[in-house]
Amino acid sequence: MIRFLIKGLLRDRSRSLFPVLVVAAGAFLAVFGFCWIKGTLNDILWANAAFDTGHVKIMTNGFAAEADLLPNDLALIEVDSLLEYLRTRYPSMIWTSRTRFGSMLDIPDSLGETRAQAPVMGLAIDLSETSPERRILHLENALVRGRLPQQNNEMLISELLAEQLGVSPGEVATLIGSTAYGSLTLHNFTIAGTIRFGVTAMDRSVILVDEHEARLMLDMENASSEIVGYFPDLLYKQAAASSIVADFNSMQTNAEDSPHMFALHEQNELESMLIWINYFSAIVIGVFIVAMSIVLWNAGLMGSLRRYGEFGLRLAIGESKLHVYQSLLAESLIIGFIGGVIGTALGLAAAYYLQVKGLDISGAVKGSNMLLTNVIRAQITPAALYVGLIPGLIAPPLGTAVAGIGIFKRQTAQLFKELEV
Amino acid sequence: MNRIGILSIWMLTAVVQAQPSAEDILRRVDAVMTSDTKIVVSKMIIHGRRSMRIIEAKSYIDGTRRAFTEYLAPPREAGTKMLKLEDQLWTFSPQTDRIIKISGHMLRQSVMGSDLSYEDMMEDPRLANLYHAVLLGEENIGDRSCWILQLEAKTVDIAYPSRKIWVDKERYLVLKEQRFAKGGRLLKSAIVEEVKLLDGRWSPVKARFKDELQTGEGTEFVIESIQYNAAIPEHLFTKAALRR
């Protein structure tokens, strides 16, 4: 029966070509759109998790309330013991402390006078060779010139900043900032290398220093702005993160100095963004199914009209209305499958191209402070294999089912009259 | 008009004539608060959100345009020096051996975490040069009778477009002050808590400054010693002196 139907579809292209093309186009758009949304979402999550939110982040209540101002006078204290506690209670997570500070980077001339100066965003992290930060921040990949810090008082600065200030690795720069107590503080660093993360908000003015030196500079002994935690595979798991957050926070108080843990999705308004993106994905696929169904319904109606004689003959020779209807549905399933496979293959090919090459949007995010990558990429996930195929299988039978209802309305007597039998 | 009436008008006129104008008061305040040179040893008690710190410093001040300050304590700040020459300010940090000019938005930063900014330090202390004064009334600060003056800036490029000061009627010392933004928001306040006769002049020796935009209890400024019209070596007011 199936073979018979396939033969019919192949031999009568007017029955198959247009519906297959419609389904293939829809499946292509669904697969490509799905992969693009997934890739963009993944990039947003990575940028936020790596540079700001972690998968979970701990700050004091006081610091969190004014986090935009980086109030290091309200930083976490006794950080070593807090880290030890976290590593014991939640051993499956990677825990590391960070300190953020605003500062001026001053480049001296040969006489020690200011040659160039720029405001910078300081991020103090564990820069040791065994530090997980190297993997979290993709430091090796981000390095443009020079090398990663190996000695005390070495720093990494953004390549863009280095170009603006006219400095190269090996030169000495002075950081001018405020201690946690508000005093002016100056600290000399040697520029070990320059970096480019591909995230405009970071690349504009970031400097990376080792947290040990930052603590000396900022008068923050055993204190940090925050502690961040990551899942070992560096992939965010919302339910697991929420569970850790609930457990940790249940043991804390509301005091200004008390630590408080936040999950990634609770920060930077990411929760609403995640919900919106999920809705958007569902809308894309829903629109695909509805639009294709309408088009295929219309195609089915046209085909039914054209095949009026055929249906009449089939009914005349004794084929039941239900059987005619079922054979039409089976035909549409075959069309949906073929179109879905073709569309999925094309969608995956296009998504793979965008996954490898990416689309440079650095011009569009030039002035943005959001943590967005400059190059957005698609991401092929296992779901991409069926996200186009399933709607491709659903839409044609849906269209055919509606269009084919007309078969049951036919009167046999009228048929014989039409066929002039 | 009877004699009593004439006498009353004469007395009232005499009183009005005896009370100086707001501009006169301001000039007298400037004369009392400034001197040719002075050497001041002071300490700032800074009440932070988590802790209290004491910063000690010695300042050499030449009129209103030149000043050299060396921080003496705590050990972390000791050796840090600041030099003000006209409208420029430099700082030297022994840890980096760098002399850095403080300019632009850095001037708005706090001095050593206190409630005072570098901009406050750079201001011309002669109020009559910067403000027009209007006499608002009188009020007692503690047991001292004071005039209340409203000051409005003469120019637009000024940190505090308006101020209100309470001036001791007898000693012409400012005992209380409020500094306002253009829109009238209170930015900073200061109140003198102790006045002493030092080197033959009445001087405020303990005051509390408060940045009204910050939480906290403000900064106490205590003068340990003051020498008016002292001889100050000229070489101190050079950038080379910062490294010595």
Side-chain angles (χ1 to χ4, degrees):
Chain A
M1 176 66 181
I2 298 293
R3 189 179 293 173
F4 173 75
L5 290 173
I6 291 172
K7 269 186 185 172
L9 287 169
L10 289 174
R11 287 176 186 171
D12 183 3
R13 284 193 182 176
S14 62
R15 240 198 267 179
S16 56
L17 187 62
F18 178 68
V20 165
L21 285 178
V22 169
V23 174
F28 168 80
L29 288 175
V31 171
F32 183 68
F34 177 80
C35 292
W36 194 347
I37 289 169
K38 279 286 168 196
T40 305
L41 179 63
N42 194 43
D43 283 347
I44 291 172
L45 287 182
W46 171 77
N48 278 278
F51 298 110
D52 187 4
T53 62
H55 290 155
V56 294
K57 178 157 86 172
I58 300 169
M59 298 176 274
T60 64
N61 289 312
F63 191 100
E66 303 170 17
D68 290 345
L69 302 173
L70 304 178
N72 279 324
D73 56 335
L74 295 173
L76 294 165
I77 50 176
E78 304 296 332
V79 168
D80 288 348
S81 55
L82 184 54
L83 275 171
E84 197 179 321
Y85 168 78
L86 289 165
R87 285 171 185 147
T88 309
R89 189 165 181 90
Y90 312 106
S92 63
M93 300 283 284
I94 299 166
W95 297 102
T96 185
S97 59
R98 290 177 176 175
T99 294
R100 297 172 190 278
F101 56 97
S103 182
M104 291 287 285
L105 189 65
D106 186 281
I107 311 297
D109 61 15
S110 57
L111 300 172
E113 299 283 334
T114 297
R115 187 184 89 205
Q117 209 176 59
V120 295
M121 179 175 59
L123 181 59
I125 57 172
D126 177 7
L127 277 172
S128 64
E129 285 188 17
T130 54
S131 165
E133 295 280 23
R134 294 195 173 210
R135 184 164 74 98
I136 293 164
L137 297 175
H138 301 176
L139 280 184
E140 274 85 2
N141 294 339
L143 195 66
V144 179
R145 287 186 284 159
R147 56 171 173 75
L148 296 181
Q150 292 167 350
Q151 294 161 13
N152 290 342
N153 296 316
E154 289 190 330
M155 64 160 35
L156 294 169
I157 75 170
S158 94
E159 173 66 16
L160 191 67
L161 193 64
E163 285 171 5
Q164 283 171 357
L165 294 171
V167 289
S168 301
E171 289 191 52
V172 172
T174 305
L175 270 184
I176 308 166
S178 297
T179 66
Y181 303 101
S183 292
L184 185 77
T185 179
L186 286 82
H187 201 99
N188 283 345
F189 286 92
T190 302
I191 299 168
T194 65
I195 42 172
R196 185 188 295 123
F197 290 114
V199 177
T200 300
M202 296 299 291
D203 289 342
R204 203 180 294 131
S205 61
V206 74
I207 56 150
L208 293 184
V209 297
D210 190 83
E211 199 180 24
H212 173 71
E213 269 106 42
R215 283 176 174 174
L216 292 175
M217 175 186 160
L218 302 173
D219 204 1
M220 291 174 65
E221 192 183 348
N222 201 11
S224 295
S225 305
E226 64 202 31
I227 291 175
V228 281
Y230 292 90
F231 293 102
D233 57 4
L234 300 185
L235 295 175
Y236 183 57
K237 297 159 189 74
Q238 188 167 324
S242 297
S243 162
I244 291 170
V245 166
D247 180 64
F248 181 83
N249 288 340
S250 68
M251 292 176 282
Q252 311 304 325
T253 69
N254 290 327
E256 191 176 57
D257 281 348
S258 178
H260 189 90
M261 190 186 282
F262 300 86
L264 179 148
H265 65 273
E266 296 170 330
Q267 303 171 63
N268 295 357
E269 297 177 358
L270 287 172
E271 186 162 29
S272 55
M273 188 186 283
L274 289 173
I275 290 170
W276 186 86
I277 286 175
N278 284 333
Y279 277 138
F280 187 71
S281 302
I283 288 167
V284 165
I285 292 164
V287 166
F288 161 53
I289 293 174
V290 171
M292 270 205 312
S293 298
I294 292 168
V295 171
L296 292 168
W297 172 29
N298 193 41
L301 282 175
M302 301 276 283
S304 298
L305 284 173
R306 199 180 60 77
R307 295 169 72 185
Y308 232 51
E310 178 200 330
F311 296 152
L313 184 63
R314 284 169 68 180
L315 291 173
I317 60 175
E319 193 173 346
S320 71
K321 287 181 179 177
L322 183 63
H323 190 264
V324 174
Y325 190 68
Q326 284 173 340
S327 67
L328 274 179
L329 288 177
E331 270 182 26
S332 63
L333 261 176
I334 293 164
I335 286 167
F337 180 75
I338 294 168
V341 168
I342 293 170
T344 300
L346 291 173
L348 288 174
Y352 181 72
Y353 178 80
L354 201 62
Q355 181 172 294
V356 175
K357 295 282 183 187
L359 183 68
D360 191 347
I361 56 159
S362 54
V365 295
K366 205 172 181 178
S368 169
N369 287 323
M370 284 182 73
L371 288 168
L372 297 172
T373 51
N374 294 343
V375 178
I376 55 169
R377 295 175 192 279
Q379 187 193 16
I380 296 173
T381 62
L385 295 173
Y386 57 79
V387 80
L389 199 58
I390 290 175
L393 286 170
I394 294 171
L398 199 62
T400 307
V402 178
I405 290 169
I407 290 169
F408 290 96
K409 293 179 181 171
R410 302 296 304 272
Q411 297 297 322
T412 313
Q414 183 67 18
L415 272 172
F416 283 97
K417 193 178 169 189
E418 283 172 10
L419 292 166
E420 292 174 353
V421 177
Chain B
M1 194 176 285
N2 61 26
R3 283 183 189 177
I4 294 171
I6 293 168
L7 188 62
S8 300
I9 291 169
W10 180 82
M11 284 176 70
L12 189 64
T13 311
V15 167
V16 169
Q17 281 177 342
Q19 178 167 302
S21 70
E23 298 289 346
D24 285 339
I25 295 169
L26 205 57
R27 277 191 287 274
R28 293 282 297 272
V29 167
D30 285 344
V32 168
M33 300 294 278
T34 56
S35 63
D36 287 345
T37 60
K38 58 187 169 191
I39 301 173
V40 181
V41 176
S42 62
K43 67 179 178 189
M44 286 194 294
I45 304 163
I46 303 163
H47 300 274
R49 288 195 273 198
R50 275 180 174 167
S51 60
M52 187 265 282
R53 293 188 315 140
I54 299 175
I55 309 276
E56 291 176 24
K58 186 171 187 178
S59 299
Y60 303 81
I61 301 161
D62 178 19
T64 60
R65 300 190 177 277
R66 301 196 298 177
F68 179 93
T69 299
E70 179 173 5
Y71 290 93
L72 309 172
R76 188 185 160 87
E77 315 294 355
T80 299
K81 294 168 190 165
M82 310 209 74
L83 175 66
K84 172 190 168 181
L85 294 177
E86 303 287 341
D87 59 350
Q88 296 189 311
L89 184 67
W90 286 274
T91 184
F92 169 77
S93 125
Q95 290 90 351
T96 57
D97 195 33
R98 290 281 315 272
I99 296 171
I100 301 283
K101 187 178 176 184
I102 296 178
S103 58
H105 83 279
M106 282 173 66
L107 285 168
R108 297 206 180 102
Q109 287 200 355
S110 138
V111 177
M112 297 290 170
S114 70
D115 289 59
L116 291 162
S117 69
Y118 293 106
E119 209 165 37
D120 295 336
M121 286 175 64
M122 293 300 290
E123 237 179 18
D124 184 344
R126 290 204 169 99
L127 295 171
N129 290 348
L130 305 173
Y131 296 95
H132 294 295
V134 175
L135 187 59
L136 290 183
E138 298 176 8
E139 191 178 278
N140 271 23
I141 300 289
D143 59 350
R144 305 296 302 174
S145 178
C146 295
W147 286 299
I148 307 170
L149 297 189
Q150 175 72 34
L151 308 183
E152 296 295 336
K154 290 178 176 175
T155 56
V156 289
D157 55 338
I158 193 164
Y160 307 105
S162 67
R163 298 185 188 210
K164 200 190 259 190
I165 58 172
W166 282 253
V167 180
D168 186 313
K169 282 184 178 177
E170 186 188 344
R171 295 166 183 165
Y172 286 92
L173 289 173
V174 176
L175 297 185
K176 184 178 169 185
E177 183 175 355
Q178 292 176 336
R179 301 177 183 186
F180 299 91
K182 197 175 180 181
R185 186 174 186 185
L186 179 61
L187 297 176
K188 285 191 180 164
S189 63
I191 188 147
V192 172
E193 293 176 342
E194 192 179 341
V195 172
K196 270 188 184 169
L197 194 60
L198 292 174
D199 215 5
R201 296 169 66 149
W202 285 104
S203 306
V205 293
K206 188 175 176 190
R208 184 181 288 268
F209 293 88
K210 175 86 176 75
D211 183 338
E212 298 290 348
L213 303 182
Q214 303 285 335
T215 54
E217 294 171 36
T219 298
E220 288 175 66
F221 190 84
V222 181
I223 291 177
E224 307 262 274
S225 70
I226 189 164
Q227 281 178 265
Y228 288 108
N229 300 318
I232 300 174
E234 188 61 25
H235 71 80
L236 268 187
F237 302 112
T238 62
K239 280 165 73 178
L242 288 168
R243 274 207 172 86
R244 282 180 193 147

